[in-house]
Amino acid sequence: MSVLLSAILIPACEVENCPPNALSFAHFTFVDQYGRSVVYTDTLSVYGQTDYGDSVVQDTLVNREMNVGELSLPLSYGTQTRFILRYNSRTQDVITITHRNIPYFMNLDCGTMMFYEVTGAETTSRMLDSLVITNPNIDNNEKENFKIYFTVTDTGE
């Protein structure tokens, strides 16, 4: 009886107060030279790459997806993250993002989340035309942070 009474009187961990999305992702939208949404219809793979001292760590984030019009990608805990966009295994572009990491402590039950402030971004231009930072603050709210511009040939439609 005392165990049942103590279970009722002592509150459990309040995990329900934690946000449903405790991870922060950079959100990229694909657009054409006029700012209209576009979809890359061929095969696209994305690799994340970061430097740790003398070694480079690379991981597959998107594997041979088709019909991609936007990406949500994690940033590293370092100050720079590179994404390699490989188009149908033929050619690739590299996006390099420099950022400031901002630890955000919510409470003991939820732990710490990592937010980011983008301080710079650059890209190669094999298939991409340019990259624009639309919102430099990356947190656990899903919002556009970057526009990736592709030069698209007008079809007259």
Side-chain angles (χ1 to χ4, degrees):
M1 181 68 172
S2 65
V3 172
L4 179 59
L5 187 58
S6 66
I8 293 171
L9 297 176
I10 300 173
C13 293
E14 297 183 22
V15 175
E16 66 271 1
N17 292 334
C18 296
N21 182 12
L23 301 175
S24 300
F25 290 95
H27 296 278
F28 299 82
T29 303
F30 292 4
V31 295
D32 66 9
Q33 64 268 32
Y34 305 110
R36 299 177 297 207
S37 295
V38 295
V39 173
Y40 183 74
T41 57
D42 209 342
T43 304
L44 177 68
S45 296
V46 180
Y47 305 94
Q49 192 178 71
T50 190
D51 295 328
Y52 286 106
D54 293 336
S55 63
V56 175
V57 177
Q58 181 170 306
D59 197 11
T60 303
L61 303 174
V62 175
N63 190 22
R64 302 184 50 79
E65 290 289 322
M66 296 180 75
N67 300 316
V68 178
E70 60 185 29
L71 295 168
S72 294
L73 303 173
L75 298 180
S76 74
Y77 285 166
T79 58
Q80 188 179 73
T81 304
R82 277 185 303 279
F83 298 110
I84 300 168
L85 280 65
R86 185 161 297 142
Y87 312 101
N88 197 19
S89 301
R90 289 190 302 254
T91 188
Q92 66 185 29
D93 277 305
V94 178
I95 296 173
T96 304
I97 298 172
T98 54
H99 47 84
R100 184 172 70 90
N101 301 338
I102 306 165
Y104 178 75
F105 179 74
M106 183 138 192
N107 61 41
L108 288 174
D109 292 329
C110 302
T112 302
M113 295 185 283
M114 187 64 78
F115 294 165
Y116 305 90
E117 178 187 21
V118 176
T119 57
E122 57 186 42
T123 183
T124 58
S125 55
R126 288 176 184 84
M127 295 273 294
L128 302 182
D129 178 66
S130 59
L131 174 73
V132 173
I133 303 168
T134 57
N135 184 346
N137 300 312
I138 299 172
D139 53 28
N140 63 330
N141 297 319
E142 294 182 15
K143 59 188 175 301
E144 177 186 83
N145 302 107
F146 301 93
K147 284 190 187 298
I148 296 178
Y149 284 86
F150 288 89
T151 300
V152 178
T153 307
D154 262 339
T155 59
E157 295 179 19

